[in-house]
Amino acid sequence: MNGVHAPRPRRQASPRGGIACLAALALLSGCLNTYRTGPVPGTDANQETQIPLGQTRTFDEERLAIGFGRVMEDSRCPTDAQCIRAGNAMVGLVLQERGEATRSVELNTGQDPRRVSHEGYIIEVVGLDPSPTTAGAPDPDSYVVRLRVTRG
């Protein structure tokens, strides 16, 4: 055959192949839509939020709910004193993702654990207000936890 090749017959596209391709594309785009970047909606420019004691906040279009249930410990140094150590406050949070089962966690301001990973989010304690003074501990009803909520 002197190096001349006959053209191959063209293959017709199968409707099943097109449907499978469309199904794979739809599945892929659905996965891409669930992986989101940027600040978590419901947080400020620093990805922080404040939650008063006894209240719950929702984030990321209600995908995540965080409740501030209690202060288990507050041994922080009074603001009007000089201490050798800063001390610690331990807070109890309740985490819930998309209305599923809840998870209780205890996080600290001055020692580990300060943060927890939960269902694609990282929740970190930034602080607890108000701080104690030498006059005494804050009114328990006045506590507000400051959290940083990021995707992770």
Side-chain angles (χ1 to χ4, degrees):
M1 285 208 169
N2 296 337
V4 177
H5 298 284
R8 293 185 184 180
R10 288 182 68 182
R11 198 171 147 188
Q12 299 258 338
S14 161
R16 284 186 293 181
I19 291 171
C21 183
L22 286 175
L25 183 60
L27 180 63
L28 179 61
S29 67
C31 291
L32 292 176
N33 284 337
T34 59
Y35 181 77
R36 305 172 69 159
T37 59
V40 174
T43 62
D44 66 14
N46 295 320
Q47 300 185 48
E48 294 182 10
T49 189
Q50 298 181 15
I51 306 174
L53 183 64
Q55 293 190 23
T56 299
R57 296 274 193 271
T58 59
F59 303 90
D60 207 5
E61 299 169 1
E62 299 190 5
R63 285 181 175 86
L64 173 67
I66 303 174
F68 177 23
R70 62 188 188 141
V71 176
M72 279 87 81
E73 169 191 331
D74 192 353
S75 63
R76 297 174 294 162
C77 179
T79 56
D80 53 350
Q82 289 187 346
C83 302
I84 296 172
R85 297 191 319 181
N88 182 57
M90 181 187 295
V91 298
L93 304 175
V94 177
L95 312 176
Q96 186 174 31
E97 209 260 338
R98 290 191 186 247
E100 298 295 322
T102 59
R103 175 181 175 194
S104 296
V105 297
E106 296 173 353
L107 299 177
N108 299 284
T109 62
Q111 64 190 35
D112 289 334
R114 293 179 189 169
R115 68 170 142 175
V116 65
S117 178
H118 178 75
E119 300 294 332
Y121 298 94
I122 297 173
I123 298 97
E124 178 181 8
V125 173
V126 176
L128 180 67
D129 297 319
S131 294
T133 65
T134 54
D139 175 13
D141 294 331
S142 67
Y143 281 118
V144 176
V145 68
R146 290 182 288 123
L147 302 173
R148 180 174 294 116
V149 181
T150 56
R151 291 187 177 92

